[in-house]
Amino acid sequence: MVLTTETRRPTVPCRSTPRRTPSAPPPLAPGALPGLGHAPALLRDPLGFLGSLSRHGGVVRIRLGPRTVCVVTDAGLVHTLLVALAHDCPRGAVQDTLKTAFGDGLLMSEGQAHRDRRRIVQPAFGPERTGEYLAVMHQVAEERAGSWRSGQVLDVAKEMNHLALEIVTRTLFDARLSEDATLAFHRALPDMVKGQIVQSLYPHPALARLPLPVNRRFDAAVRVLNQVVDQAVNGGARSGGSPEGGCPFGGTAAGGRPSGEPDRTLPALLRAAVDPATGRPLTEADVRSEAVTMFGAGTETVSTTLTWLIDELLRHPRVEARVLAELDEHLPAGTVPTPEALARLTYTRSVTQEVVRLHAPNAFLMRTASVPVDLGQYRIPAGTELLYSLTALHRDPLLHPEPLRFHPGRWHEGGAAAVAGRQAFLPFGAGKHKCIGEAFAWAELTVAAAAILRRWRPTAVAGSRAREVVWTTVQAQDLRVRLAPRTADPRTDTPRTNGPRTDSTPRTDSAHRTDTPRTDSAPRTDSAPDRPAARPQRREAGPATALPRPAPPTHPAARPPATTGLRRPGELRASTARHADWVLGHGLLTPAGLPRYQAYALPELIGHAYPRARGAELDLLVDVLGWFTILDDRFDGPPGRRPDRARALVDPLLAVLAGTAPAAAPDDDRLLHAWRELWLRQNDGRSPAWRARSAVEWRACLDTFLAESAHRSRGTFPGLPETMRLRRHASCLYPFMNILERVHGADAPARLHAEPELHRLRAHTADAATLINDLYSLEREERQPAAAFNTVLTLQRVRGCTRRQAVLSVRARVARLREESEALRRRLLRRHPAGHWYLDGTRELVDGVYAWTSTSRRYLSDGRRG
């Protein structure tokens, strides 16, 4: 959705005199000082000086030391410069400074290179991604606003910077930055911006290489920004820092994407692209350049606008009241925004447009005439630098009467600003270089403002107001507000929204409580204890005491159920007995080995995770889990260290999925024969779509054994993202999610399966269960002679964490995955109520793993089993 005015409006006539053949140079602005020109006036009051030039003509020359710059002050001529003359007037010295630092990305490139790169990046901002982005923006904004406290004094600019940076990181990169990386980014950005301005004004580029303080700070800032961007691009800083701040967990994307779903992040899009000029894939330098562009362009301008928005609403409470009323009507509390809902927020749109008009983020931008060009009545020689100020343009009294007055009404139908048309309002530029993220930015402003204003009523701290600080952007600094909960509507004296918490616990679920329909089949968990009550006895040693427990869920819907399930205990005991006969009958275990295996209590995991499974379906689930556990234990021996033995064990199993004969004699006939039977039992009566999906996901699961064996044989360790990918599929959770449909007796709705958010939910389910398993299996796997692929151990290896830091980081990730999963379920349930049983089943799977791993004897080390 683009929130700018319609293009059918009449264009703005040029301010200059009647047209004639261009010949004369633009007039020189008065007040130039010998040797310095207009530089002192520009530096003393940039916006005032640039705004004063329009009285001298549509194009005015100024002198900055030895340089002459033409300032374009007329809206129509600025539009001509950006559209008709875009090819002849490429970007200028300010952008060249960034090009030297960050490479030839979308922001800095020109000509065919720019067109090619724009085509590559465009899909990341296509309309089909809007709904997905809105959901993430909403979640991030709710989380940030929910972390504040009643009575807290907020540095608004700093908080909006953090919020905007996190939105960009989570939406475009599917990643999370650690708190340290976030702070480093914001500390470095001002030095980068100041250095960019100063270096662009140097009379000779060689001065940028001198060891001047401003140059050193600029170079240091560039290094920091590159490091932070590299972390986001490569997954090195994903997920927030650990509770102790020592070990950020970064193994999975924030969205939790399964391998079956294409990676649609910006880095993945760039890495999959081919450079049309060379026919080769883009380089990592290209990927970094585009990432820097999105971090810089998508953070500072949006955060500055949000700060000005809060400042203006503090001064205009009636405007704030109208915005809140419109949000209540068209975007009720807890509702995930949609493009259609945002389109109905017409008054809010007017308010944000007026904030952008009055406080245009870009103070000035530059172009350079590569050939002689005509602007109005003036001939501009080749090599001339052209400067224009969006702030001055948007405050032009000819275009916007009472330009310094905050007046959203000017954007209503028939208002002066609406009539002026697109040439008078250019916050995102125009022409081929128009900001590719315009719709993204407008949506971000609205979603973030809605999350903040619904929760909090900010009041300005005495003596604190937003102050304009001008570099390349018009920043808002020094605004500090004290927060009070916005709990009641003064018109009715009733709660207006679910008010924020005022204690020390961040609120994570208030925005989603009131609009979620409950289903009869959904287990009640509102009063469930934080710990499962299935097996209350406590071990005297092991993970229950040696490790911190997984983080307690932060909202009731994420708590594990209080009972073992809905079936009678006798039914589970009968299935356990049948399973013992099955494993013995297939020769998978000997009678001597059966007691130790039964101590794992695997059927109880099924009892927790599938409370509605009965009869043959219950037996199938128990048999599949038992078979997979026995296969997994085989890899504690030679197959886990020898790829040839792993291949001999796994290839015949894969052949069953493909419906072909094994290429070689199976390494273990008993495992293979049992697997053939299980595969037939799983597929019996299932649809072709279900069979195909199940085959793909079993194949991904079995392939992980080969990958892990290869790493062990080489003595190598995968990085954190690869570890998480392997662990996600090695857990076998995807096939078990498919069996949910068999238990129910029907496939989940096809439209539900097509939802990208369901893919994310399935990935979150697999990841949460896997990480819980890793926490409880840690002590056992630490004692194994072969390196275990445990996420806690991987964090210690690749991040240099202590054991405690790694455990706490994984715990935090589990809690976050469960919170995000609940939000995904709510949204999917609203769109697909017929699939409620499947959505509930994914929650029950994680709850079942949580309940079972905390009580099973499988994860005790050998010396503690007695």
Side-chain angles (χ1 to χ4, degrees):
M1 182 184 68
V2 178
L3 304 182
T4 50
T5 50
E6 299 182 16
T7 59
R8 296 190 297 266
R9 302 296 182 199
T11 59
V12 178
C14 293
R15 184 189 304 275
S16 45
T17 55
R19 293 185 60 85
R20 57 181 181 269
T21 303
S23 59
L28 179 67
L33 299 177
L36 298 176
H38 299 91
L42 178 63
L43 294 174
R44 183 171 54 250
D45 182 11
L47 299 183
F49 174 72
L50 293 173
S52 70
L53 297 178
S54 62
R55 68 184 69 140
H56 303 296
V59 182
V60 182
R61 285 181 296 144
I62 63 172
R63 289 186 178 139
L64 302 175
R67 298 163 59 183
T68 297
V69 176
C70 286
V71 181
V72 186
T73 67
D74 180 87
L77 295 183
V78 170
H79 193 269
T80 298
L81 174 66
L82 300 182
V83 179
L85 299 179
H87 178 74
D88 295 330
C89 297
R91 288 163 167 153
V94 174
Q95 284 84 357
D96 287 343
T97 303
L98 293 182
K99 183 175 180 178
T100 301
F102 297 115
D104 197 13
L106 185 65
L107 184 64
M108 284 70 78
S109 59
E110 290 289 345
Q112 187 62 46
H114 177 267
R115 289 192 290 274
D116 291 340
R117 191 61 58 84
R118 192 176 181 100
R119 291 191 191 100
I120 292 171
V121 176
Q122 184 64 57
F125 296 94
E128 69 279 0
R129 302 296 302 274
T130 303
E132 183 179 333
Y133 288 159
L134 288 174
V136 178
M137 291 174 185
H138 172 74
Q139 180 180 347
V140 173
E142 290 288 341
E143 288 174 0
R144 193 78 196 180
S147 70
W148 302 335
R149 307 286 178 269
S150 179
Q152 178 179 350
V153 174
L154 211 66
D155 182 330
V156 179
K158 177 181 177 181
E159 286 296 322
M160 296 307 102
N161 274 328
H162 281 255
L163 174 58
L165 179 62
E166 188 171 4
I167 286 175
V168 169
T169 307
R170 298 261 297 267
T171 51
L172 298 182
F173 297 87
D174 201 17
R176 294 175 187 262
L177 288 177
S178 67
E179 188 68 17
D180 287 345
T182 301
L183 292 173
F185 180 90
H186 291 305
R187 284 195 296 264
L189 200 58
D191 286 335
M192 193 272 289
V193 172
K194 294 173 186 177
Q196 175 192 7
I197 292 294
V198 173
Q199 291 187 14
S200 69
L201 296 175
Y202 284 154
H204 193 281
L207 293 175
R209 296 192 292 272
L210 296 178
L212 302 174
V214 66
N215 292 340
R216 291 200 303 269
R217 287 192 294 269
F218 176 80
D219 292 340
V222 168
R223 286 194 297 272
V224 169
L225 293 177
N226 276 325
Q227 290 168 0
V228 172
V229 169
D230 283 346
Q231 288 178 345
V233 168
N234 298 316
R238 290 179 183 172
S239 152
S242 73
E244 293 190 345
C247 185
F249 178 88
T252 59
R257 182 188 327 100
S259 65
E261 179 186 348
D263 185 346
R264 298 202 298 167
T265 62
L266 181 63
L269 187 72
L270 294 167
R271 287 173 176 140
V274 173
D275 187 342
T278 65
R280 298 175 182 173
L282 299 185
T283 67
E284 285 303 304
D286 294 326
V287 175
R288 175 196 282 176
S289 180
E290 298 307 338
V292 168
T293 297
M294 299 308 162
F295 269 86
T299 299
E300 187 179 13
T301 55
V302 171
S303 65
T304 298
T305 301
L306 282 170
T307 304
W308 285 121
L309 173 63
I310 292 173
D311 182 71
E312 292 294 350
L313 294 182
L314 286 172
R315 289 188 275 178
H316 300 88
R318 292 184 180 179
V319 172
E320 180 189 46
R322 285 191 62 180
V323 169
L324 285 165
E326 186 174 68
L327 290 173
D328 284 346
E329 181 178 359
H330 298 298
L331 194 63
T335 303
V336 176
T338 63
E340 295 75 20
L342 295 189
R344 292 191 290 269
L345 301 176
T346 55
Y347 185 74
T348 304
R349 179 175 65 228
S350 297
V351 171
T352 53
Q353 283 181 285
E354 180 66 352
V355 171
V356 172
R357 180 202 67 79
L358 184 54
H359 305 287
N362 296 110
F364 65 88
L365 297 164
M366 298 182 74
R367 297 289 188 268
T368 301
S370 59
V371 298
V373 296
D374 298 333
L375 269 177
Q377 61 179 320
Y378 303 113
R379 171 61 56 91
I380 308 297
T384 301
E385 292 180 291
L386 297 154
L387 181 149
Y388 62 97
S389 169
L390 292 181
T391 307
L393 191 70
H394 293 169
R395 295 179 181 180
D396 188 336
L398 180 68
L399 305 174
H400 304 286
E402 299 181 273
L404 298 182
R405 177 188 173 204
F406 180 74
H407 178 44
R410 73 175 80 237
W411 295 99
H412 295 167
E413 192 66 32
V419 172
R422 59 186 177 133
Q423 295 185 13
F425 186 60
L426 302 170
F428 295 93
K432 67 177 186 177
H433 287 297
K434 186 175 184 179
C435 177
I436 198 171
E438 177 180 11
F440 183 100
W442 284 120
E444 182 181 357
L445 287 170
T446 306
V447 172
I452 294 168
L453 294 176
R454 278 217 191 85
R455 271 181 200 267
W456 301 108
R457 180 179 290 109
T459 56
V461 175
S464 169
R465 298 304 301 271
R467 177 174 61 91
E468 285 186 341
V469 177
V470 182
W471 291 99
T472 50
T473 57
V474 184
Q475 300 174 22
Q477 295 186 4
D478 299 338
L479 177 62
R480 298 167 68 243
V481 299
R482 191 178 304 277
L483 299 174
R486 192 184 299 278
T487 56
D489 187 332
R491 295 168 298 181
T492 61
D493 199 30
T494 58
R496 139 175 231 108
T497 64
N498 291 318
R501 304 237 344 213
T502 58
D503 57 14
S504 60
T505 304
R507 188 179 184 93
T508 57
D509 65 329
S510 63
H512 304 287
R513 288 279 183 85
T514 60
D515 64 333
T516 305
R518 290 197 59 84
T519 58
D520 293 339
S521 61
R524 284 197 60 85
T525 57
D526 294 358
S527 59
D530 285 342
R531 289 289 311 247
R535 293 174 54 139
Q537 65 269 27
R538 295 284 303 274
R539 296 194 298 268
E540 294 183 0
T545 55
L547 288 176
R549 312 295 296 178
T554 54
H555 54 82
R559 294 172 183 162
T563 66
T564 57
L566 303 182
R567 76 180 53 77
R568 296 180 299 274
E571 186 174 4
L572 195 58
R573 285 197 296 270
S575 182
T576 301
R578 290 192 293 270
H579 176 64
D581 292 340
W582 185 83
V583 295
L584 292 173
H586 279 283
L588 299 177
L589 293 172
T590 65
L594 186 62
R596 176 176 175 176
Y597 170 78
Q598 288 183 317
Y600 297 166
L602 295 175
E604 290 193 12
L605 171 54
I606 299 302
H608 287 304
Y610 296 86
R612 282 168 288 282
R614 295 289 190 276
E617 309 306 333
L618 176 61
D619 288 348
L620 173 63
L621 285 161
V622 172
D623 290 347
V624 170
L625 178 61
W627 175 87
F628 184 77
T629 301
I630 292 168
L631 172 68
D632 185 64
D633 285 346
R634 291 285 197 276
F635 281 83
D636 290 339
R641 299 182 296 276
R642 292 181 50 185
D644 59 328
R645 295 288 299 275
R647 180 67 66 181
L649 190 58
V650 170
D651 275 355
L653 307 178
L654 295 174
V656 172
L657 299 174
T660 61
D667 187 68
D668 192 325
D669 280 332
R670 294 162 297 182
L671 274 171
L672 177 60
H673 293 156
W675 174 237
R676 283 200 185 102
E677 179 200 308
L678 290 174
W679 184 238
L680 290 173
R681 286 164 64 188
Q682 289 177 74
N683 282 301
D684 183 34
R686 308 311 309 146
S687 68
W690 188 95
R691 295 180 185 185
R693 185 170 64 251
S694 186
V696 167
E697 289 169 354
W698 270 114
R699 186 174 297 111
C701 173
L702 295 172
D703 280 342
T704 63
F705 290 109
L706 304 178
E708 292 184 5
S709 181
H711 274 293
R712 288 194 181 101
S713 71
R714 296 192 302 264
T716 59
F717 300 98
L720 201 52
E722 176 67 7
T723 296
M724 277 307 303
R725 187 190 69 80
L726 290 174
R727 298 293 295 124
R728 177 184 297 156
H729 290 285
S731 66
C732 198
L733 261 292
Y734 281 111
F736 273 96
M737 279 185 274
N738 289 332
I739 299 178
L740 281 170
E741 295 170 282
R742 179 166 196 93
V743 171
H744 184 71
D747 287 6
R751 290 185 178 180
L752 176 60
H753 270 300
E755 284 271 12
E757 287 197 320
L758 182 69
H759 299 170
R760 291 179 59 199
L761 175 60
R762 283 163 59 90
H764 279 20
T765 300
D767 285 352
T770 297
L771 293 174
I772 291 171
N773 185 284
D774 282 355
L775 287 170
Y776 283 99
S777 65
L778 176 60
E779 183 175 313
R780 178 193 183 204
E781 292 175 342
E782 285 175 324
R783 295 170 179 263
Q784 292 179 357
F789 286 80
N790 182 297
T791 312
V792 178
L793 298 177
T794 301
L795 273 172
Q796 291 177 259
R797 281 193 297 265
V798 304
R799 295 280 185 263
C801 305
T802 66
R803 184 180 192 267
R804 177 174 173 77
Q805 287 172 337
V807 167
L808 293 177
S809 184
V810 172
R811 288 177 56 190
R813 178 63 174 162
V814 171
R816 187 162 57 248
L817 285 168
R818 295 177 73 144
E819 292 165 10
E820 293 174 2
S821 294
E822 286 304 311
L824 289 168
R825 289 188 189 97
R826 281 188 286 268
R827 295 197 292 270
L828 289 167
L829 182 61
R830 284 194 288 270
R831 297 195 293 271
H832 306 281
H836 67 86
W837 55 270
Y838 187 91
L839 302 174
D840 290 341
T842 60
R843 179 194 299 114
E844 290 163 353
L845 269 174
V846 177
D847 291 344
V849 170
Y850 184 97
W852 176 78
T853 51
S854 63
T855 57
S856 172
R857 300 175 65 83
R858 174 168 171 76
Y859 297 121
L860 289 176
S861 59
D862 290 341
R864 293 182 173 178
R865 293 184 188 278

